[in-house]
C-alpha cells in the first residue's frame, strides 16, 4: 500500500499494487498503470510493465491474427437478407455545394442602421453598390444611348 500526493492540488491517492487498485479509478478501468502507480514504481524501483494487463501485450494481439479467417465467398451465392431495412434520411445529409452557412450570432453592430449607408465605388453616391451603378459600362447600362 502506498499513498501518493498530487503536487498540483495536494490530493492523496491510495495505491495497492498487489490488488491492482488506485483511488483515481484509471488503473482498474483501463488496466494500465496510472500516474500514481508509475510514481510508486519509480519510488520503489519496480518495473511498471508488469502492471500492464495482458490484453495490451503484443503476444496477445498476435494470437488474434493467428487463427484463420473464413472467406465470405461470392455475393451472388449469399442467402437473401431478411432483416430490418435501413433507409437514409436525406434531410440530415450535409450540403456539399455553396458557401457554408454562418453559425455566428448577430448583434447590434451587424444591423445596417448602425453602419454607414452603402456607397458606390464607381460614382461615389450612397444607396447602391458598384454592381447596380447606373454609370457602370456594359450592355445593360442605361448611361450611354447616343
Amino acid at each position: 500500500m502506498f499513498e501518493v500526493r498530487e503536487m498540483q492540488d495536494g490530493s492523496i491517492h491510495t495505491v495497492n499494487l498487489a490488488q491492482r487498485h488506485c483511488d483515481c479509478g484509471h488503473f482498474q478501468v483501463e488496466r494500465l498503470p496510472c500516474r500514481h502507480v508509475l510514481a510508486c514504481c519509480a519510488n520503489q524501483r519496480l518495473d511498471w510493465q508488469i502492471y500492464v494487463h495482458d490484453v495490451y501485450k503484443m503476444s496477445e494481439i498476435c494470437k488474434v491474427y493467428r487463427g484463420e479467417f473464413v472467406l465470405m465467398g461470392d455475393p451472388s451465392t449469399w442467402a437473401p437478407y431478411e432483416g430490418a431495412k435501413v433507409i437514409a434520411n436525406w434531410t440530415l445529409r450535409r450540403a456539399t455545394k455553396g458557401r457554408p452557412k454562418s453559425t455566428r450570432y448577430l448583434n447590434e453592430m451587424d444591423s445596417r442602421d448602425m453602419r454607414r449607408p452603402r456607397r458606390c465605388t464607381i460614382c461615389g453616391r450612397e444607396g447602391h453598390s458598384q454592381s447596380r451603378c447606373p454609370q457602370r459600362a456594359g450592355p445593360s447600362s442605361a448611361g450611354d444611348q447616343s
Side-chain angles (χ1 to χ4, degrees):
M1 292 282 272
F2 298 95
E3 284 189 353
V4 179
R5 182 183 303 268
E6 290 273 355
M7 293 184 71
Q8 296 159 338
D9 60 359
S11 61
I12 297 174
H13 295 277
T14 306
V15 177
N16 187 340
L17 293 177
Q19 294 180 356
R20 296 177 184 249
H21 183 272
C22 179
D23 287 348
C24 72
H26 293 287
F27 193 27
Q28 299 86 269
V29 173
E30 297 170 3
R31 298 185 177 198
L32 286 170
C34 62
R35 60 181 174 215
H36 312 109
V37 172
L38 294 175
C40 294
C41 290
N43 182 275
Q44 298 297 311
R45 293 189 173 99
L46 297 171
D47 183 19
W48 62 269
Q49 294 179 0
I50 62 173
Y51 297 105
V52 176
H53 195 271
D54 290 341
V55 297
Y56 295 108
K57 296 183 179 170
M58 192 55 76
S59 59
E60 294 297 314
I61 293 172
C62 289
K63 287 180 186 177
V64 172
Y65 296 101
R66 199 172 292 153
E68 195 172 311
F69 290 94
V70 179
L71 295 175
M72 296 293 290
D74 184 20
S76 63
T77 62
W78 296 354
Y81 178 70
E82 300 293 333
K85 188 172 186 175
V86 178
I87 301 172
N89 185 351
W90 295 107
T91 61
L92 298 177
R93 188 173 180 191
R94 188 181 351 173
T96 56
K97 293 181 183 176
R99 185 183 184 119
K101 186 176 181 189
S102 174
T103 57
R104 186 170 162 261
Y105 291 109
L106 302 178
N107 58 23
E108 63 275 355
M109 290 177 55
D110 295 312
S111 69
R112 180 54 71 180
D113 299 334
M114 296 295 288
R115 293 183 280 164
R116 287 178 283 152
R118 231 176 249 198
R119 186 176 291 271
C120 178
T121 56
I122 295 175
C123 66
R125 285 190 252 146
E126 291 182 357
H128 65 271
S129 62
Q130 71 178 29
S131 63
R132 301 267 187 217
C133 184
Q135 295 181 8
R136 193 172 107 198
S140 64
S141 68
D144 190 28
Q145 293 185 359
S146 47

